[in-house]
Amino acid sequence: QKEVEQNSGPLSVPEGAIASLNCTYSDRGSQSFFWYRQYSGKSPELIMFIYSNGDKEDGRFTAQLNKASQYVSLLIRDSQPSDSATYLCAVNPASGGSYIPTFGRGTSLIVHP
Amino acid sequence: DAGVIQSPRHEVTEMGQEVTLRCKPISGHDYLFWYRQTMMRGLELLIYFNNNVPIDDSGMPEDRFSAKMPNASFSTLKIQPSEPRDSAVYFCASSLAGYRDTIYFGEGSWLTVV
């Protein structure tokens, strides 16, 4: 059973702070990693993807991947109240010919003014 | 592109009734997915299709659930008979082939079975 684990939260941070969201996965052969944001009552939307070890930056968002330790994280700098949402980690196992990602349960982020 | 289109957006039905959810994927996408999301279980993959062919339906909870994709631009998820525990948000999603491709979600169908 391929698993993706996230702390459900809520993670509460003040406006302007750095929010750090973490995700661990069980399949060591996983190849691609995605972060989706889901606002309350809406559908998930992709905000970041990462394939290689290290950091990937996109605006205020930084994805970090460590395949040896089997974790991927998302940092949100200068957090804004509009960042308040649930963040879903998705991991593509890419083993056994399956390219279908497994989603974590999501971490709820609250950014308070 | 209009994105993934789902209907109905909201449905309230009585236990025992048949429910049909509809989906139009993004044109050109090879994969179509049906997910169910609840507070208790999170986002669960029910079934997915590749080029209109069902590939893995191991996530379908029981025989009351069925899904079809008669052509590249249309899919249905049917629940018959419906039960209160089927109340959830059902998302249809699509993507291009390949392990690096983004999954695009529809807005969801909010189902309440009373």
Side-chain angles (χ1 to χ4, degrees):
Chain A
Q1 178 76 16
K2 302 179 179 68
E3 297 190 349
V4 177
E5 300 288 342
Q6 295 181 256
N7 188 322
S8 62
L11 173 66
S12 182
V13 300
E15 184 174 357
I18 296 176
S20 178
L21 306 164
N22 299 310
C23 171
T24 60
Y25 57 93
S26 62
D27 187 346
R28 186 171 290 276
S30 299
Q31 297 290 327
S32 49
F33 308 84
F34 306 84
W35 283 100
Y36 287 78
R37 177 177 60 200
Q38 186 176 21
Y39 291 115
S40 180
K42 301 296 185 181
S43 58
E45 57 177 347
L46 181 76
I47 54 172
M48 289 283 291
F49 60 86
I50 186 168
Y51 307 137
S52 304
N53 274 331
D55 294 359
K56 179 182 179 182
E57 187 174 317
D58 183 2
R60 296 186 297 111
F61 298 94
T62 299
Q64 299 176 317
L65 175 60
N66 184 325
K67 290 186 177 181
S69 300
Q70 295 176 237
Y71 81 80
V72 56
S73 61
L74 179 70
L75 302 179
I76 306 175
R77 292 182 300 280
D78 187 24
S79 296
Q80 301 296 309
S82 59
D83 295 326
S84 299
T86 296
Y87 290 79
L88 301 170
C89 172
V91 176
N92 194 320
S95 61
S98 169
Y99 297 148
I100 308 306
T102 299
F103 282 83
R105 295 282 301 273
T107 298
S108 175
L109 173 66
I110 299 172
V111 181
H112 53 87
Chain B
D1 201 312
V4 178
I5 300 172
Q6 291 187 245
S7 65
R9 292 294 316 282
H10 299 272
E11 176 140 353
V12 180
T13 191
E14 292 185 346
M15 182 174 62
Q17 296 298 305
E18 178 178 293
V19 173
T20 299
L21 307 178
R22 298 173 178 80
C23 175
K24 175 179 168 52
I26 294 173
S27 177
H29 280 191
D30 301 284
Y31 285 84
L32 182 137
F33 309 86
W34 282 101
Y35 288 91
R36 177 173 68 177
Q37 188 174 43
T38 61
M39 289 293 293
M40 290 295 293
R41 301 175 68 89
L43 194 64
E44 302 174 276
L45 177 63
L46 300 178
I47 185 171
Y48 76 92
F49 296 81
N50 181 21
N51 293 321
N52 312 338
V53 177
I55 303 300
D56 185 352
D57 66 354
S58 60
M60 297 285 260
E62 47 198 275
D63 292 346
R64 298 184 297 106
F65 286 70
S66 63
K68 294 182 179 180
M69 191 167 186
N71 58 63
S73 59
F74 184 67
S75 177
T76 60
L77 178 68
K78 188 173 293 187
I79 308 172
Q80 167 63 22
S82 58
E83 297 183 3
R85 59 192 168 124
D86 301 330
S87 297
V89 183
Y90 291 82
F91 288 107
C92 177
S94 68
S95 76
L96 290 168
Y99 67 93
R100 291 190 170 189
D101 289 300
T102 304
I103 291 180
Y104 295 87
F105 288 82
E107 293 186 310
S109 293
W110 296 69
L111 174 66
T112 303
V113 183
V114 297

